[in-house]
Amino acid sequence: MSLYHDTLQLLQEMIRNACVNDGTPDSGGEVRNAESLAKFFEGTDVKVQRFEPHPGRVSIAFTVEGSDPDAEPLTLLGHTDVVPVDHTKWTVAPFGAEIRDEKIYGRGAVDMLFITATMAAVTREAAKRGTRGTLTMVGLADEEARAGLGAGWIHQNAPDAFSWKNCLSETGGSHIPGRDGSDTIVVNVGENGAAQRRLTVSGDAGHGSTPYGRDSAIVKIGEVARRISLAHRPMIDDRSWQIFVKAFRFDEELNESLMRGEGDFHEFGDLASFADAFSHTTIAQTIVRAGSAINVLPSTASLDLDIRQPTGVSQEDVDAMLTEALGDMADQVTITHLLTEPATVSAPEGPLWDAIVETYGEFYPDSDVIPIFSTGGSDLRFARYAGGKGFGFALHARERSLAAAHSQLHSHDEHLHLEDLNLTVRAYDSLIRKFVG
């Protein structure tokens, strides 16, 4: 069978394994996808490593030892878990891996099992022919819950298990159509950090039948939420943002305005929210807690914020931003740090970046290739923590814009065009041949 069909069969199996990660330690069950990968590599001369920090939460690595110890290594980081589904919103079986109209449907089809399956298939092929540089493919657990039982655990507990020097993961290879008919291919070179916060206020406890004159914690947290929604979020000062804006080929006046953050971001169309998250710290108000019984006035209320900060914004900067937004309420609000991680970025230069640009040029010779930041998290940040390079890599047909690719992430009826699977397989195979031989 062809490399593409092997990849498709593995992708279908991985979708059907339904390794759903709801954020709790006993969810995920990535052991099922680890076993599928182990079976896929049977009969090849690869080094296999298995990591299981919690029962069922298995990551697995397959290493092809290169013939030249001085050659550049390459590590492919593919996660094997997927996010939950709302079954009532799907029109197809979310774990059926059904193919309709040249598209494969299923949770994880895009995020990111099609890339993970591709990584496995091209690594197996490389193992059969041998490589000059060492090649490792890792099927990672727990990416969808910040990787504490996956890449994060390996980085902390087994940092030398494989090389972090040159890493590929999700995602890249979608397109920005310029207003002049031009085409630009994007590559994720960095990602925003995490600055999760819990804001807590106090109020008067009491019986629900006598609220008069009471200091309501719920009213107070509502005002906190209103003020936070109006927080001033400074614009980033980064050349990648300027390159991103220029890819749309706006007229010169609008181009300059948007680069300064003064223009109407609706000009970016379906990418308006992405553009905002690319260029600013984002503050999402996600969880409110107060009260336990309907007839009791709660003495406290809290608001959880999912904050993602770009490079150059520190945790102290985030706290100052919140304090400024709270104004004269600041001394009534306790700010608690939850998960915090710095933003990370890999400079778009060096042999791996050059190989990515060259590979895209083989498929789309008239397209530009530009670096962008991911607004969410990925396992690539651990490569950067380790001092290595981390880039997103896949390839979509020109009709699949960045907006179209993003629309499938965690969506109902998540699906991947089979054309894009074929392109990604061919692109990975080409890149690996030129990079590790």
Side-chain angles (χ1 to χ4, degrees):
M1 296 184 69
S2 71
L3 186 58
Y4 163 74
H5 284 98
D6 288 349
T7 307
L8 177 58
Q9 286 191 347
L10 178 60
L11 171 59
Q12 289 181 297
E13 182 174 339
M14 295 181 78
I15 291 172
R16 290 165 183 161
N17 283 338
C19 298
V20 178
N21 184 356
D22 64 13
T24 60
D26 292 330
S27 67
E30 294 94 341
V31 62
R32 295 189 291 277
N33 273 336
E35 289 173 349
S36 290
L37 288 169
K39 181 180 178 182
F40 187 77
F41 276 91
E42 284 180 355
T44 60
D45 183 20
V46 296
K47 174 186 174 184
V48 182
Q49 298 173 88
R50 180 185 172 104
F51 313 90
E52 190 170 7
H54 186 86
R57 309 307 299 273
V58 177
S59 297
I60 191 166
F62 306 91
T63 298
V64 183
E65 296 290 349
S67 60
D68 181 357
D70 296 323
E72 289 286 333
L74 180 62
T75 302
L76 312 177
L77 304 174
H79 72 78
T80 60
D81 60 327
V82 301
V83 296
V85 300
D86 180 349
H87 288 265
T88 66
K89 301 294 185 179
W90 283 65
T91 64
V92 297
F95 302 105
E98 182 178 345
I99 294 175
R100 292 185 184 181
D101 301 322
E102 295 302 308
K103 297 186 284 286
I104 181 169
Y105 286 80
R107 175 57 86 222
V110 174
D111 185 13
M112 65 171 280
L113 297 182
F114 88 98
I115 303 176
T116 304
T118 296
M119 290 172 168
V122 296
T123 300
R124 189 177 71 171
E125 286 300 302
K128 294 176 182 178
R129 64 177 181 264
T131 60
R132 184 182 69 256
T134 295
L135 174 65
T136 301
M137 181 269 162
V138 194
L140 290 159
D142 202 36
E143 190 275 345
E144 297 291 1
R146 304 299 296 187
L149 297 173
W153 187 92
I154 296 171
H155 177 255
Q156 288 292 323
N157 296 277
D160 300 323
F162 46 80
S163 173
W164 299 93
K165 185 178 181 182
N166 301 295
C167 294
L168 298 177
S169 189
E170 57 185 348
T171 184
S174 57
H175 303 257
I176 295 176
R179 290 190 173 183
D180 60 356
S182 62
D183 178 59
T184 300
I185 301 174
V186 300
V187 179
N188 284 344
V189 303
E191 58 192 64
N192 291 350
Q196 295 177 357
R197 298 292 189 270
R198 178 168 295 153
L199 309 187
T200 306
V201 299
S202 298
D204 294 335
H207 199 285
S209 65
T210 54
Y212 180 77
R214 308 277 187 170
D215 181 21
S216 170
I218 291 179
V219 171
K220 195 178 294 184
I221 204 68
E223 175 61 14
V224 167
R226 187 191 71 81
R227 295 188 182 197
I228 293 298
S229 72
L230 301 175
H232 173 63
R233 300 174 296 122
M235 188 83 179
I236 65 167
D237 181 17
D238 190 276
R239 187 167 179 270
S240 293
W241 168 248
Q242 299 171 2
I243 294 172
F244 173 78
V245 175
K246 290 178 180 179
F248 288 82
R249 306 298 198 272
F250 299 121
D251 64 66
E252 185 174 350
E253 182 179 355
L254 178 58
N255 191 72
E256 293 298 320
S257 177
L258 289 168
M259 283 195 292
R260 293 192 304 268
E262 299 170 358
D264 183 355
F265 272 35
H266 286 98
E267 295 285 353
F268 291 107
D270 291 342
L271 286 172
S273 61
F274 176 86
D276 176 77
F278 188 155
S279 56
H280 299 80
T281 297
T282 58
I283 306 174
Q285 305 186 41
T286 54
I287 301 174
V288 178
R289 298 181 181 88
S292 59
I294 197 169
N295 63 341
V296 178
L297 301 175
S299 58
T300 62
S302 66
L303 171 65
D304 285 3
L305 308 176
D306 182 11
I307 301 176
R308 310 292 180 101
Q309 82 282 11
T311 55
V313 178
S314 68
Q315 298 295 328
E316 292 75 19
D317 292 335
V318 171
D319 287 337
M321 192 184 308
L322 298 176
T323 299
E324 180 185 15
L326 291 170
D328 60 6
M329 288 189 71
D331 61 355
Q332 304 174 56
V333 181
T334 300
I335 300 177
T336 303
H337 287 213
L338 303 177
L339 186 145
T340 61
E341 291 182 322
T344 62
V345 63
S346 295
E349 59 188 24
L352 182 54
W353 174 260
D354 293 343
I356 290 171
V357 174
E358 181 182 347
T359 300
Y360 284 149
E362 295 167 5
F363 293 85
Y364 296 100
D366 298 325
S367 299
D368 294 328
V369 180
I370 66 167
I372 64 169
F373 291 169
S374 170
T375 57
S378 80
D379 288 327
L380 286 172
R381 67 188 183 279
F382 299 104
R384 301 182 189 117
Y385 293 159
K389 292 268 192 176
F391 300 118
F393 186 72
L395 186 57
H396 298 268
R398 185 166 176 170
E399 293 76 22
R400 247 72 73 201
S401 67
L402 176 60
H406 267 257
S407 72
Q408 290 301 314
L409 302 179
H410 300 186
S411 68
H412 306 311
D413 284 354
E414 180 181 350
H415 61 269
L416 174 79
H417 289 259
L418 294 181
E419 179 183 14
D420 295 349
L421 178 64
N422 187 29
L423 283 168
T424 297
V425 170
R426 291 165 56 202
Y428 261 94
D429 186 56
S430 176
L431 186 147
I432 284 172
R433 289 175 184 273
K434 69 170 65 74
F435 194 78
V436 295

